[in-house]
Amino acid sequence: VRHFTIELEELNQHLMQMGGLVASAIHLAVGSLIEQNRELAEEVIRQEPTINRMEKEIDGIATRLLALRQPVACDLRRLTVALKITTDLERIGDFAFDVAQRSLNLMKQPAVKPMTDIPKIAALVQSMLLKCLNAFVNSDADVAHSVLLADDEVHQFRDGIQAELKDAMQRDPAVASAAIDLLFIARDLERTGDHATNIAEDVIFLAKGIDVRHGAQQPEEA
Amino acid sequence: VRHFTIELEELNQHLMQMGGLVASAIHLAVGSLIEQNRELAEEVIRQEPTINRMEKEIDGIATRLLALRQPVACDLRRLTVALKITTDLERIGDFAFDVAQRSLNLMKQPAVKPMTDIPKIAALVQSMLLKCLNAFVNSDADVAHSVLLADDEVHQFRDGIQAELKDAMQRDPAVASAAIDLLFIARDLERTGDHATNIAEDVIFLAKGIDVRHGAQQPEEA
């Protein structure tokens, strides 16, 4: 019988592998958009089934460990948080997929100029995603907190991009189709930031045993 | 010491209560949009913190039962599925909130005519949501399956609505702002359908012990 600590460590490694794949999918999808590179987008589309499969595998491992090891306290939290984090990562994978598809679509259409702050919001949410994954590996609540602080900036970027695209459409209705794709891409990236925030909140819960979701700060029973 | 069966029954009742509140939020948000009724939208905005609080409460109960009762097999599945379903319900609550805010916004702008198939997609996803909640209460895999079948139709409605709004913007750039709100509302409703589908898949997993997410059909270890 293997030691439970080793099994938890393996679960962590699976989660990090899934996190790495999802972060790479967002990176490739944004790269495809900015460089108008078909191959990067196609790579994201190819990787999507792998991300979905990993979610199921990790959920299966966490559920099995819950049943076999009947953990309490911190170990129990680690398993229930793993179940939450895979959901967030899988959703971010969906956003990367959507950005990649819209990026391919945009290559067939007249470009919207200027390209707005999409590269900036993309860089910001990528940094949030990498930080929350690192915070998870190191159970580092401080790094996780720094992710929460970036959330306002993401929403400001999103509002600015939306206003700019609306103006572009009103000036030139011919760009409407491309502008719609860019609007949804900005939304996908904003949502990616939201899910990175969820993961950061879970890491804080894990590290400190408190639930900071929706602004509450009470200690959690477990 | 209370019996575990009673505790699980209470957890179910909490989940149904949260489900009912979320279904009502979607119903009110759509009503506010279609009837241009400010009060309905404001009611949705008022209810949002309650939905968020319920997610945390139910997660807390499920985590506590995992720790205290150390359940196996079907009872374990019921608890891990509860953790997944609260995430889906909370997200649907966010979509209702977004629809309500955009509905208020739309009341200040020149209307887009025709109003597209938004009432139809709204009716469809509301029916999916009620069905998956009923399937959950009754552990009814057949009803849950019927939810999965509606997913294609939701995506067809979404594509049609998006095409129609793009045309409307191109014909009359003055409606761009309203059309953008309607585009995001259609997306919110599509996503609501996606999360109802997630819940239906969880119910099938619960009822049959198989994981149908992402098209797989293998029996699940637990």
Side-chain angles (χ1 to χ4, degrees):
Chain A
V1 185
R2 291 187 303 163
H3 198 281
F4 185 37
T5 311
I6 295 173
E7 291 171 331
L8 280 180
E9 197 41 56
E10 282 173 2
L11 180 74
N12 266 0
Q13 279 168 16
H14 281 289
L15 264 173
M16 284 313 297
Q17 206 185 340
M18 183 180 178
L21 201 58
V22 166
S24 142
I26 287 286
H27 185 73
L28 292 171
V30 167
S32 125
L33 175 69
I34 295 172
E35 301 166 19
Q36 305 202 293
N37 181 327
R38 291 190 67 83
E39 281 171 32
L40 299 183
E42 284 157 3
E43 178 61 23
V44 175
I45 290 164
R46 257 196 308 278
Q47 282 178 355
E48 203 240 3
T50 310
I51 292 173
N52 292 344
R53 188 171 42 73
M54 291 180 86
E55 183 197 12
K56 289 181 50 180
E57 281 174 8
I58 297 170
D59 284 359
I61 296 172
T63 307
R64 202 167 52 237
L65 292 179
L66 280 169
L68 296 178
R69 300 301 188 176
Q70 312 210 323
V72 293
C74 175
D75 291 341
L76 174 63
R77 279 211 297 278
R78 195 159 268 285
L79 294 178
T80 58
V81 161
L83 290 170
K84 290 274 179 194
I85 289 181
T86 56
T87 309
D88 285 311
L89 288 176
E90 193 269 337
R91 193 56 42 88
I92 296 175
D94 283 350
F95 296 135
F97 185 85
D98 192 60
V99 171
Q101 283 193 314
R102 291 183 187 277
S103 162
L104 290 174
N105 208 21
L106 281 164
M107 291 175 209
K108 300 180 215 145
Q109 299 171 57
V112 183
K113 297 281 182 195
M115 215 215 179
T116 74
D117 278 342
I118 284 181
K120 287 187 195 161
I121 195 177
L124 182 59
V125 300
Q126 283 185 77
S127 126
M128 291 168 75
L129 185 54
L130 293 175
K131 272 188 194 165
C132 75
L133 293 173
N134 282 324
F136 176 75
V137 198
N138 303 317
S139 288
D140 186 331
D142 293 336
V143 172
H145 259 297
S146 74
V147 174
L148 306 190
L149 298 177
D151 206 40
D152 277 351
E153 206 181 342
V154 170
H155 289 98
Q156 280 165 23
F157 272 131
R158 214 288 292 253
D159 291 345
I161 291 165
Q162 185 159 322
E164 215 176 321
L165 288 170
K166 192 179 81 184
D167 288 350
M169 272 189 246
Q170 285 173 330
R171 278 196 313 274
D172 179 8
V175 303
S177 188
I180 290 171
D181 280 324
L182 290 171
L183 276 172
F184 279 112
I185 286 172
R187 163 82 151 210
D188 287 332
L189 293 171
E190 178 204 15
R191 288 295 201 171
T192 299
D194 288 344
H195 286 275
T197 300
N198 288 353
I199 294 173
E201 288 168 346
D202 281 332
V203 170
I204 295 170
F205 170 64
L206 204 55
K208 303 203 163 167
I210 55 172
D211 192 337
V212 294
R213 289 178 300 167
H214 311 305
Q217 292 279 357
Q218 316 93 321
E220 183 82 350
E221 308 168 61
Chain B
V1 183
R2 289 188 305 163
H3 199 279
F4 185 37
T5 311
I6 295 173
E7 290 170 332
L8 280 180
E9 196 40 56
E10 282 174 2
L11 180 75
N12 265 2
Q13 279 168 15
H14 281 289
L15 263 174
M16 284 313 298
Q17 205 185 341
M18 182 179 179
L21 201 58
V22 165
S24 142
I26 287 285
H27 185 75
L28 292 171
V30 166
S32 124
L33 174 69
I34 293 172
E35 300 165 19
Q36 304 201 293
N37 181 327
R38 290 192 67 83
E39 281 171 32
L40 299 183
E42 283 158 3
E43 178 62 23
V44 175
I45 289 165
R46 259 196 307 277
Q47 281 179 356
E48 203 241 1
T50 309
I51 293 173
N52 292 343
R53 189 171 43 71
M54 292 180 86
E55 183 198 11
K56 290 181 51 180
E57 281 174 8
I58 297 170
D59 284 359
I61 295 171
T63 307
R64 200 166 56 236
L65 292 180
L66 279 170
L68 296 177
R69 299 301 187 176
Q70 314 209 320
V72 292
C74 173
D75 290 343
L76 173 63
R77 278 210 298 277
R78 195 159 268 286
L79 294 178
T80 58
V81 161
L83 290 171
K84 291 274 178 192
I85 290 180
T86 56
T87 310
D88 285 311
L89 289 176
E90 192 270 338
R91 192 57 41 86
I92 296 175
D94 283 349
F95 296 134
F97 185 85
D98 191 61
V99 171
Q101 283 193 313
R102 291 183 187 277
S103 163
L104 290 175
N105 207 21
L106 281 164
M107 292 175 210
K108 300 180 217 148
Q109 300 171 56
V112 183
K113 297 279 181 197
M115 216 217 177
T116 76
D117 279 342
I118 284 181
K120 287 187 196 162
I121 195 176
L124 181 59
V125 301
Q126 284 185 78
S127 126
M128 290 168 76
L129 185 54
L130 293 176
K131 272 188 194 167
C132 75
L133 293 173
N134 281 325
F136 176 76
V137 198
N138 303 318
S139 290
D140 186 332
D142 293 335
V143 172
H145 260 296
S146 74
V147 174
L148 307 189
L149 298 177
D151 206 39
D152 277 351
E153 205 181 344
V154 171
H155 290 98
Q156 280 165 24
F157 273 130
R158 214 286 293 253
D159 290 346
I161 292 166
Q162 185 159 324
E164 215 175 323
L165 288 170
K166 192 180 80 184
D167 288 349
M169 274 189 244
Q170 285 174 332
R171 277 195 312 274
D172 178 8
V175 304
S177 188
I180 290 172
D181 279 325
L182 290 172
L183 275 172
F184 279 113
I185 286 171
R187 164 83 151 208
D188 287 333
L189 293 171
E190 178 204 15
R191 288 294 202 173
T192 299
D194 288 344
H195 286 274
T197 300
N198 288 353
I199 294 173
E201 287 169 345
D202 282 332
V203 170
I204 295 170
F205 170 64
L206 205 54
K208 302 204 163 167
I210 55 171
D211 192 337
V212 294
R213 289 178 299 168
H214 311 305
Q217 291 280 358
Q218 316 91 324
E220 184 83 351
E221 309 168 61

